[in-house]
Amino acid sequence: MTILKPNADINLGTTLRNGGADFAVFSSTARRIDVCLFNPDGKESARFPLSNRSGDIHNAFIPAIAAGQHYGLRAHGRYSPAEGHHFDSHKLLLDPHASAVSGGFHYHSKLSSHGAETAALVPKGIVTETLPLVPVRNVPQPKLIYELNVRSFTLRHPDVTVEKRGTIAALAEPAIIAHFKNIGVDTIELMPIAAWIDERHLVNLGLRNAWGYNPVSFFAIEPKLAPGGLAELRGTVARLHAAGINVILDVVFNHTGEGDALGPCLSFRGLDNANYYRLFHGGYINDAGTGNTLALDRPHTVQLVTDSLRHWVLQAGIDGFRFDLASVMGRTESGFSPNAPLLDAIENDPVLSTRILIAEPWDIGPGGYQLGNFPSNWFEWNDKYRDDVRRFWRGDDWSANNLATRLAGSSDVFAKKGKPSRSINFIAAHDGFTLHDLLHHKQKNNLANGEDDRDGKNDEVTCQGANAQALLATILLSRGTPLITAGDEFGRTQSGNNNAYAQDNDTTWLDWIGRDQVLEQAFAGLVALRHSLSNVLDDTFLSASDVTWLDKNGEALDWGKRDARVVTMSMRHDTKHICIVINGSEAAMEFVSPAKPKMNWQRRNGSGKTIPRNSVAVFQSG
């Protein structure tokens, strides 16, 4: 089947003009697409066919349409799942370019049943005015990324007004901005905010998706996160910018919430299943592990994604994006390529190419692990950093060798990019154990998810008995860009649940009253220390003349010693000299200064030359 390139002269979605609106929808396989208009009470008031067709764009002007009009789509065509076609005119469908929805999506068996009417079950798209464009600002390179879940972050915060708790607006509250500033955060990364649906198996378990990695829309905000819609996000971003804080979105383009063959028909499946998704003999290819995978190398999906990204930047002022399971974005029929159509389109877009672009560089499909292989200006989550740091603090043999590589910026992975900052260094994230739990749990405890503890990673590297401050110090004293997840700076716990996606409850809601404020202030001090060492921890890879690796006796580290537990990173920059001492042993030790140069050394974190067990110390001279 030939897929025509979308007509660049037609704006997809809705465009208000002359007392009405243009409607335009992509489908190369639909015989006809209708627009259904709805009253606020949910009753259908009128139906119009998109009678014009330009290439694969079905379009029409409908008079007497104003902002706030609710609408949905119905697509007519063949129902032949074996050939990849799922047309069902009984299914009301969300316009993929709708920028607002009338409510949240909730699973019902009728959504998956061919021939069952779904108008009463599906939220409607809302015709919206296009806001004046937000000026494209120069985005500073992130110094510390703070990953947060919008709802769980403020739902229990005592200094946020009750009506704002759990919303995007809460992120602009004085107490929240004060927290960001106190701990030195300059970039917040919002976990998905686009409208999503709960996985169908959660309904019978009485659980809800708490993370949002199951999108139905790429343009509309999940209503419960932003009762004020796009304007709420736009206002919040503006206030965060005024406070010197970047805002990036975690976006999910690898799959949709329509899931596998038994999943709901909500939008893409009903409009052009055969061309939006990767199929094999009519079945869904599952490179994302969620039931389906979007075909992101085709012109219409490339346009869908770039339109979405430009929407968030130009309508809300978003500074960048973290791409979930980003290897899917580089997949072509012949495998992954850093020059795949979507990656190339982003690289060549005058707006998107200047934003912060972060890849989660893996998926579960063939050849899906692509760490280090994204375009040179992309940042990438570095799971080698995560695991090697954890292994050192767990006490694994040979781990000192790998720790040194991670402290120095992971040149084994990122040398070809020329900058260690392209490595996103993290030890814990939303997916997996919290920082607290990886120090206190050897095994996961996911029974609350209702899957008999089968879900979540079984072989996650943990390090019981290690010190939280030491792990945080390791991140902040490494070359690269540090990332932590909200709450890890004050000891958040999920009681051993390392896949808490379905726990929209106290498991994931941050406990602001009971937080560890001693750890929080220690973290803030470490961030300040990192910033003060920026001339030493700069964005270059170290040469042999820049760094010397020492053991606990101040002598050259023996790389053949498999059980080395003390690593000292001795660096010079201009007139300054720094020693970062990682004491992973079970005994306190005295700092032994390098034989050369002979200088007076001062402790930068704490006092004295005694370095406790399982801790990190920084000394400076010059």
Side-chain angles (χ1 to χ4, degrees):
M1 179 178 298
T2 301
I3 305 171
L4 300 178
K5 186 174 182 179
N7 191 325
D9 297 327
I10 299 177
N11 293 322
L12 292 168
T14 61
T15 305
L16 290 165
R17 68 176 179 91
N18 299 332
D22 289 312
F23 288 77
V25 179
F26 169 87
S27 179
S28 66
T29 55
R31 185 175 67 252
R32 187 181 89 236
I33 295 177
D34 297 334
V35 172
C36 302
L37 304 181
F38 290 84
N39 295 324
D41 62 6
K43 292 183 180 179
E44 185 174 339
S45 60
R47 187 176 300 192
F48 299 88
L50 296 180
S51 53
N52 301 323
R53 183 160 181 171
S54 177
D56 289 334
I57 306 299
H58 302 248
N59 62 95
F61 175 79
I62 301 177
I65 299 291
Q69 175 67 59
H70 292 198
Y71 74 103
L73 306 173
R74 294 184 190 272
H76 303 262
R78 286 192 302 137
Y79 180 73
S80 178
E83 297 177 274
H85 303 304
H86 285 257
F87 289 105
D88 182 354
S89 61
H90 296 89
K91 295 291 179 287
L92 191 74
L93 306 171
L94 180 71
D95 178 356
H97 277 72
S99 58
V101 289
S102 62
F105 288 86
H106 302 283
Y107 182 77
H108 189 285
S109 60
K110 287 185 178 180
L111 298 171
S112 302
S113 177
H114 182 70
E117 175 58 47
T118 63
L121 301 171
V122 177
K124 315 307 185 284
I126 302 176
V127 177
T128 58
E129 293 271 12
T130 299
L131 299 173
L133 299 183
V134 176
V136 178
R137 66 195 287 263
N138 292 325
V139 182
Q141 180 162 304
K143 296 179 180 178
L144 172 61
I145 300 175
Y146 190 72
E147 179 194 49
L148 67 85
N149 180 302
V150 170
R151 180 168 162 81
S152 68
F153 186 62
T154 61
L155 206 58
R156 300 170 67 188
H157 199 295
D159 296 327
V160 173
T161 56
V162 173
E163 63 272 15
K164 287 187 178 179
R165 291 179 186 174
T167 70
I168 287 172
L171 301 178
E173 288 287 278
I176 300 302
I177 291 179
H179 181 71
F180 295 151
K181 302 297 284 185
N182 178 60
I183 62 172
V185 166
D186 75 309
T187 303
I188 62 171
E189 178 183 302
L190 308 185
M191 288 170 62
I193 65 170
W196 72 79
I197 188 170
D198 295 340
E199 291 80 355
R200 65 179 183 272
H201 74 276
L202 296 182
V203 176
N204 292 332
L205 295 171
L207 298 172
R208 296 187 301 272
N209 187 309
W211 286 357
Y213 292 93
N214 206 37
V216 178
S217 173
F218 298 140
F219 292 80
I221 303 175
E222 173 61 35
K224 67 173 172 280
L225 298 184
L230 184 63
E232 179 175 331
L233 174 63
R234 183 174 170 131
T236 296
V237 170
R239 286 189 284 275
L240 289 165
H241 283 170
I245 298 169
N246 301 324
V247 182
I248 60 180
L249 298 185
D250 192 340
V251 287
V252 182
F253 295 118
N254 52 78
H255 77 283
T256 78
E258 291 183 312
D260 60 18
L262 300 178
C265 184
L266 301 168
S267 182
F268 305 99
R269 174 174 286 156
L271 288 169
D272 199 347
N273 183 77
N275 287 314
Y276 274 116
Y277 295 113
R278 289 200 181 282
L279 305 176
F280 183 73
H281 295 312
Y284 293 102
I285 291 174
N286 192 22
D287 291 334
T290 54
N292 65 54
T293 305
L294 281 170
L296 295 178
D297 58 342
R298 298 173 183 171
H300 56 286
T301 49
V302 169
Q303 180 178 351
L304 176 75
V305 172
T306 55
D307 283 353
S308 168
L309 297 176
R310 289 176 63 88
H311 166 78
W312 296 117
V313 174
L314 298 176
Q315 290 289 291
I318 293 300
D319 298 302
F321 304 92
R322 180 265 188 188
F323 297 92
D324 182 64
L325 299 181
S327 294
V328 172
M329 298 173 65
R331 282 192 179 278
T332 67
E333 295 296 337
S334 58
F336 177 87
S337 170
N339 304 118
L342 177 54
L343 298 180
D344 188 61
I346 293 171
E347 284 287 289
N348 288 288
D349 187 283
V351 172
L352 302 180
S353 61
T354 65
R355 302 302 89 188
I356 299 168
L357 303 171
I358 304 173
E360 182 185 33
W362 49 77
D363 63 33
I364 67 166
Y369 188 77
Q370 294 294 333
L371 179 64
N373 293 330
F374 280 77
S376 61
N377 65 319
W378 283 57
F379 299 80
E380 300 181 38
W381 275 32
N382 187 351
D383 64 327
K384 288 187 176 180
Y385 181 95
R386 176 196 65 198
D387 291 346
D388 285 343
V389 170
R390 288 188 185 188
R391 288 186 180 105
F392 175 83
W393 287 109
R394 185 170 66 180
D396 291 12
D397 287 348
W398 303 114
S399 58
N401 303 45
N402 291 336
L403 176 69
T405 301
R406 305 302 157 224
L407 289 170
S410 296
S411 61
D412 59 328
V413 177
F414 294 100
K416 61 186 176 183
K417 293 195 175 191
K419 294 182 177 181
S421 62
R422 296 305 183 245
S423 171
I424 299 294
N425 296 338
F426 69 105
I427 292 177
H430 70 272
D431 188 6
F433 282 121
T434 70
L435 177 64
H436 173 278
D437 289 356
L438 71 89
L439 306 180
H440 295 86
H441 293 264
K442 187 174 183 179
Q443 296 178 322
K444 65 181 183 179
N445 176 23
N446 296 357
L447 290 172
N449 294 350
E451 299 182 47
D452 295 325
D453 218 18
R454 294 188 302 271
D455 64 306
K457 192 173 181 179
N458 292 315
D459 57 349
E460 191 169 351
V461 178
T462 61
C463 38
Q464 292 77 47
N467 182 289
Q469 287 192 35
L471 270 71
L472 292 170
T474 305
I475 284 184
L476 293 170
L477 296 171
S478 299
R479 294 198 170 200
T481 301
L483 174 145
I484 72 159
T485 297
D488 278 352
E489 76 275 21
F490 53 69
R492 74 179 177 110
T493 179
Q494 293 176 171
S495 301
N497 192 323
N498 75 346
N499 188 34
Y501 79 102
Q503 300 302 315
D504 185 11
N505 50 44
D506 284 351
T507 300
T508 56
W509 300 346
L510 295 193
D511 179 6
W512 289 93
I513 298 296
R515 72 189 194 275
D516 184 343
Q517 296 187 52
V518 172
L519 179 60
E520 179 182 316
Q521 290 310 309
F523 176 76
L526 288 166
V527 175
L529 175 61
R530 176 184 176 87
H531 293 337
S532 74
L533 299 175
S534 59
N535 63 328
V536 177
L537 296 174
D538 60 16
D539 197 12
T540 58
F541 289 106
L542 294 166
S543 67
S545 61
D546 295 324
V547 61
T548 304
W549 299 96
L550 307 173
D551 63 14
K552 65 181 180 180
N553 299 314
E555 298 175 352
L557 190 64
D558 181 359
W559 298 111
K561 189 175 181 181
R562 63 185 300 156
D563 59 349
R565 301 302 305 141
V566 176
V567 175
T568 295
M569 187 180 186
S570 178
M571 296 176 289
R572 65 179 179 83
H573 188 284
D574 296 331
T575 60
K576 294 186 181 296
H577 207 103
I578 294 289
C579 281
I580 299 172
V581 186
I582 313 290
N583 180 14
S585 71
E586 291 300 310
M589 58 172 283
E590 293 296 308
F591 172 62
V592 178
S593 62
K596 295 180 181 180
K598 289 288 186 182
M599 294 183 178
N600 293 321
W601 294 85
Q602 293 182 333
R603 180 82 171 264
R604 291 295 309 276
N605 61 333
S607 59
K609 291 191 174 183
T610 301
I611 305 168
R613 59 182 288 272
N614 290 328
S615 66
V616 178
V618 178
F619 295 86
Q620 179 176 317
S621 67

